[in-house]
Amino acid sequence: MLQQDSNDDTEDVALFDAEEETTNRPKKSKIRHPVASFFHLFFRVSAIIVYLLCELFSSSFIACMVTIILLLSCDFWAVKNVTGRLMVGLRWWNHIDEDGKSHWVFESRKASSQESKTVSEAESRIFWLGLIACPVLWVVFAFSALFSFRVKWLAVVVMGVVLQGANLYGYIRCKVGSRKNLTSMATSYLGKQFLRQTTGDGQPS
Amino acid sequence: MAEAAESPGDPGTATPRPLMRDLKAVGKKFMHVLYPRKSNTLLRDWDLWGPLILCVTLALMLQRGSVDSEKDGGPQFAEVFVIVWFGAVTITLNSKLLGGNISFFQSLCVLGYCILPLTVAMLVCRLVLLAELGPINFMVRLFVVIVMFAWSIVASTAFLADSQPPNRKALAVYPVFLFYFVISWMILTFTPQ
């Protein structure tokens, strides 16, 4: 019985590898920093949930507002200083030099052959999903607060848009980096898609 | 946020920034506001966490209304926020238009941190208001607010004045005066009813 099971296992693995065409795909989809991934999403999503449900939970507008401000601040600090660096290897910051001029620096980690330094795909997906979806939601909330005349919430919503929008802008600039990187990224992505389509059509399903 | 201890290069993009360093930086800036000296700390390593904390504290303390009223002080909370941040942004734009060579966020940082004396004044006023109201009570509060207002002005001009061209210093400083005056007025006229 056990031997049959192990035979089945090896057969499954072989099929899996043949379909994927690469052997290191399983390694890249591991989440290497579960705590960072959790907190990346936790603060953003809780801020949105508190905003939506505050009227149900507590009759105090002040308590909700302070809670949301606290969550937005923690989220800004965590995403800018911790999760971006651990999960996708990007960093953005401001530097004031000797003359008092301020420079904004956007850096991205160079791709290296070491296993421990490559970016995991699952983490990258989680990171960008959280980074893009939440500011969009806050912009939607801003319009809804404006048009439904719940203006007292506007201060908090604007703060949400500004803080999360700042992180989004910073990380997109890090990612885009130089013009050369953008075009090479685009061509390699399109190339991969094209290849996948042609080989996919060629193989019998 | 300005990160003087950050250095460009690859290792930094993999290691998270320590929280204690940021907290210590905020504390150090509070000290610099309380004992203003000619130093560049507020300007070089700017951050906006201190102003945020002070703004929230001030807004919480300026709440009118008792716990069991239905319309609890929501609008006043947002009002304080808007006055502080909109006022600071306006002063910054004004100083930039006058030709000052200070960056946007540095100016916001200085103006925000220099609200600390007025926040302390608010705390003292709230304690004084626990005693019975009367002319003596008002005089004490007035004295405290005037002293702290002067302290805020001195602290902020110590940091901001150098960045202005010499013939425009007064033009750049008077909006700061107005800004702290409005906040002091809000503090002085506060009565918890």
Side-chain angles (χ1 to χ4, degrees):
Chain A
M1 278 287 226
L2 281 170
Q3 277 178 342
Q4 277 179 357
D5 280 346
S6 60
N7 279 342
D8 285 344
D9 281 347
T10 47
E11 271 182 21
D12 284 335
V13 167
L15 278 173
F16 181 72
D17 277 347
E19 275 175 5
E20 290 296 340
E21 292 178 350
T22 57
T23 50
N24 56 359
R25 186 65 69 94
K27 278 188 218 162
K28 273 198 148 191
S29 62
K30 228 179 19 179
I31 293 183
R32 245 175 251 126
H33 307 103
V35 178
S37 310
F38 171 72
F39 278 111
H40 175 77
L41 293 175
F42 172 70
F43 289 130
R44 321 200 125 209
V45 171
S46 346
I48 289 180
I49 290 179
V50 171
Y51 176 75
L52 290 173
L53 299 182
C54 65
E55 254 129 52
L56 295 174
F57 276 140
S58 141
S59 57
S60 162
F61 168 80
I62 303 287
C64 291
M65 196 155 166
V66 173
T67 312
I68 297 177
I69 288 175
L70 212 65
L71 287 170
L72 287 174
S73 313
C74 292
D75 162 71
F76 180 81
W77 191 88
V79 170
K80 180 176 181 290
N81 291 314
V82 177
T83 65
R85 299 172 193 205
L86 289 179
M87 289 166 81
V88 285
L90 299 173
R91 172 167 78 149
W92 64 280
W93 48 292
N94 178 276
H95 173 66
I96 303 204
D97 63 17
E98 301 299 325
D99 305 326
K101 283 218 187 62
S102 113
H103 305 277
W104 288 98
V105 185
F106 303 93
E107 298 170 321
S108 74
R109 188 164 50 193
K110 299 189 205 14
S112 71
S113 53
Q114 288 174 344
E115 170 59 45
S116 61
K117 289 215 167 138
T118 54
V119 173
S120 125
E121 233 176 73
E123 280 190 346
S124 174
R125 241 179 259 142
I126 294 177
F127 180 79
W128 289 105
L129 185 69
L131 195 70
I132 294 176
C134 293
V136 167
L137 278 175
W138 282 108
V139 170
V140 168
F141 293 154
F143 280 115
S144 95
L146 203 58
F147 291 135
S148 64
F149 298 111
R150 296 164 74 214
V151 184
K152 65 178 181 175
W153 286 109
L154 214 53
V156 160
V157 174
V158 165
M159 190 173 161
V161 169
V162 166
L163 287 181
Q164 302 203 341
N167 259 327
L168 179 63
Y169 175 74
Y171 280 117
I172 287 184
R173 272 197 75 166
C174 289
K175 191 80 184 173
V176 166
S178 62
R179 288 284 150 204
K180 279 186 280 185
N181 284 349
L182 178 61
T183 43
S184 72
M185 257 169 50
T187 38
S188 70
Y189 178 72
L190 288 173
K192 266 194 222 144
Q193 289 292 74
F194 181 68
L195 198 64
R196 206 169 285 152
Q197 270 197 331
T198 47
T199 52
D201 287 345
Q203 274 182 2
S205 53
Chain B
M1 305 296 169
E3 303 171 359
E6 295 260 25
S7 51
D10 227 31
T13 54
T15 47
R17 186 175 160 76
L19 179 61
M20 282 317 294
R21 188 165 71 189
D22 279 337
L23 291 177
K24 280 197 196 135
V26 171
K28 198 161 139 200
K29 286 197 204 49
F30 279 141
M31 286 295 119
H32 273 266
V33 171
L34 288 179
Y35 307 108
R37 267 167 289 153
K38 276 277 174 206
S39 94
N40 265 341
T41 311
L42 248 73
L43 290 180
R44 288 291 301 274
D45 317 332
W46 62 266
D47 71 70
L48 294 178
W49 298 115
L52 182 68
I53 295 171
L54 289 174
C55 190
V56 170
T57 315
L58 198 60
L60 281 175
M61 287 199 284
L62 276 170
Q63 284 319 297
R64 201 163 280 127
S66 52
V67 185
D68 41 300
S69 70
E70 279 199 349
K71 281 175 64 100
D72 70 325
Q76 289 132 22
F77 190 92
E79 204 177 270
V80 174
F81 243 83
V82 166
I83 287 179
V84 169
W85 289 102
F86 192 69
V89 166
T90 308
I91 297 177
T92 307
L93 285 178
N94 176 65
S95 84
K96 288 203 81 102
L97 286 173
L98 284 173
N101 68 341
I102 192 174
S103 97
F104 182 76
F105 288 108
Q106 283 175 308
S107 170
L108 281 184
C109 169
V110 169
L111 290 168
Y113 270 101
C114 291
I115 296 180
L116 178 64
L118 287 172
T119 311
V120 171
M122 182 72 225
L123 199 65
V124 171
C125 282
R126 281 218 86 152
L127 292 173
V128 169
L129 280 168
L130 292 174
E132 56 172 277
L133 298 175
I136 302 180
N137 195 298
F138 179 74
M139 295 307 288
V140 170
R141 283 186 292 134
L142 181 66
F143 176 72
V144 168
V145 169
I146 288 180
V147 166
M148 293 302 178
F149 166 69
W151 199 332
S152 285
I153 298 276
V154 165
S156 60
T157 48
F159 295 117
L160 286 180
D162 281 341
S163 62
Q164 299 301 322
N167 54 340
R168 298 278 166 84
K169 281 208 203 304
L171 272 178
V173 166
Y174 100 85
V176 177
F177 183 91
L178 213 58
F179 175 63
Y180 290 125
F181 181 78
V182 167
I183 299 181
S184 313
W185 183 258
M186 284 198 302
I187 293 174
L188 192 58
T189 56
F190 172 79
T191 48
Q193 269 321 314

